[in-house]
Structures are given as C-alpha cells and as structure tokens.
Amino acid sequence: MLSVEGLKVRYGQIEAVKGLDFTVAQGEIVTLLGANGAGKTSTLAGIAGLAPATGMIRFENQNLIGLRPEDISRRSIALTPEGRRVFPALTVAENLLLGGAMHHKGGSLDATREEMLTLFPILRERYRQRAGLLSGGEQQMLAIARSLMSQPRLLLLDEPSLGLAPKIVDEVFRLIAGLRQKGITILLVEQNAVRALDIADRGYVLVNGRITLQGKGRELAQSDEVRAAYLAA
Ligand code: ATP
C-alpha cells in the first residue's frame, strides 16, 4: 500500500530523515520506534506533505512527493498529530464535524459520525462537552476519531500514548488494534516500544534519521538491541 524509498526530510541545514526505506502493506499496523529526535515525526510529516521531503513515497502506485497536504488527504491518508490537537473551545460534536470537512468517500457524514460514536463510546457520553474539559485519554480518542471522520485507508498516528496514564494507554492501544479489524492500515510512531510492538505486525527502529533495525513485532520485542535501548526502562 505504502512504499517509501530513500525518504529524506530536511529543515534548512538540519537533515532530520536521512534516507529511509520501508513499506506498509494493506491491513498492517507498522510501528516506527526511536528516541526523541530520531526523525519519527518528520517521517510522518513528510508522508502527509507537511514537511519538505525528497525521495519516493508511493501510495497505491502514486508518488506523493510534492503533493499538497490536502491532495494527500484526498487520497485517503490521515494524520493524528502528536499532542492531541483538538479544538478545546469546541464541543466533541463540533470537533468531529470539522474532521469530517475532508469527508470524501461515499456514505453520509452522519453515518460516519455514528460509527465513531460506536467505536469510541466515551465520545457519545461527552458529545456536547467542550473538548478542553475532556481527560487526556478522552482527548486522544477524540483526536483519533476526528482523523477517522475523513474515512482514511491509511492512518498516520503520532505518539498516541504520550502523557497518558498506563491504564488509559492500554485502552488507547486496544482501540488502535481494533481499527485494523475495521480495515484501516496504520503507521504508528511511538516511544512506548513495549506497547507498540505488542500490537504491531512489523516495526522499524530509527536512530538519527536512519533505520537500524526492522522485523516482525514479536521478533523486535525480543531482540537484544531493542531490549537494551527501549525495553529496559
Ligand atoms: P519526538 O519524539 O521528539 O517528536 P522524533 O523522532 O519525532 O522525536 P523529529 O521531531 O522528527 O523526531 O525531529 C528530528 C530532528 O529534526 C530533530 O533534531 C529536530 O530538532 C529536528 N526538527 C524537527 N522539526 C523541525 C523543524 N520544523 N525545523 C527544524 N528542525 C526540526
């Protein structure tokens, strides 16, 4: 579905991503792991057209390099950025509606919203509340649901567990695993390697803008390098 070759992302003098090759097949959850500053967010931003990228990003046989973010979104790719950027002054309902502004596949907006409220029952309970009053976990779910309102086939998820209590992290990861069941393909950026590898089919480890290790989720979780670097803490 997604095939990335020689991807570089550069901000002026800083080369954040230094030539990545990776693939995501239809129906997979693939995780990009790495420490702070390894280039994970820049990789997602490059795919979404939000950062200057070179190389090849082939999505269903079309190169995305050089396309505008809205054109990439129109090709059924959605990004849920780090930091749960919901609109705090707007209600849950309004946040979902805004996510639906790029709704482009068939079916009604109402039906998609209903699907989201079934998938995330807490959002139905909080439907008329301002997003800023939700807990961190609830805001994360709203951020994901909002991205899904555009009915993407590929979801780019940036650090969904960041800053959440362990119990809530479990819930968020259960939900992400459930999205695969709904036919959504996911590229998941995480620092929480244990949880990410638990639900991922495959993973890549990024160090300083390069891939140093790759493999199946379970294999990576057991590799000495990953255990030493990420699982020991
Ligand atoms: P984090 O988990 O902290 O988000 P990351 O692995 O996602 O880390 P990036 O955010 O992609 O890493 O950052 C990679 C490198 O690029 C870092 O050195 C960072 O300082 C730099 N960088 C990121 N965004 C920009 C920007 N807009 N302008 C300049 N440099 C940037």
Side-chain angles (χ1 to χ4, degrees), residues 45-66:
I47 296 170
L50 299 168
T54 58
M56 182 82 93
I57 302 172
R58 218 177 290 137
F59 179 67
E60 296 178 334
N61 289 324
Q62 265 192 319
N63 192 1
L64 302 182
I65 294 279

Side-chain angles (χ1 to χ4, degrees), residues 165-209:
K167 222 176 109 199
I168 311 296
V169 171
D170 286 344
E171 204 178 329
V172 168
F173 274 95
R174 243 195 323 275
L175 274 162
I176 297 170
L179 297 180
R180 175 176 38 196
Q181 247 64 48
K182 301 208 129 260
I184 299 165
T185 305
I186 296 167
L187 179 58
L188 169 67
V189 155
E190 260 301 333
Q191 285 194 44
N192 193 332
V194 181
R195 294 280 175 49
L197 289 173
D198 202 35
I199 62 163
D201 298 291
R202 294 185 300 112
Y204 295 86
V205 175
L206 243 70
V207 177
N208 275 328

Side-chain angles (χ1 to χ4, degrees), residues 48-85:
L50 299 168
T54 58
M56 182 82 93
I57 302 172
R58 218 177 290 137
F59 179 67
E60 296 178 334
N61 289 324
Q62 265 192 319
N63 192 1
L64 302 182
I65 294 279
L67 294 186
R68 290 174 306 173
E70 55 271 33
D71 293 328
I72 292 170
S73 161
R74 214 166 277 131
R75 283 168 172 75
S76 296
I77 298 178
L79 168 70
T80 310
E82 186 178 325
R84 332 184 249 285
R85 283 186 229 141

Side-chain angles (χ1 to χ4, degrees), residues 25-47:
Q26 170 98 39
E28 274 191 316
I29 296 181
V30 171
T31 184
L32 292 180
L33 305 172
N36 259 333
K40 306 180 300 295
T41 297
S42 300
T43 302
L44 294 189
I47 296 170

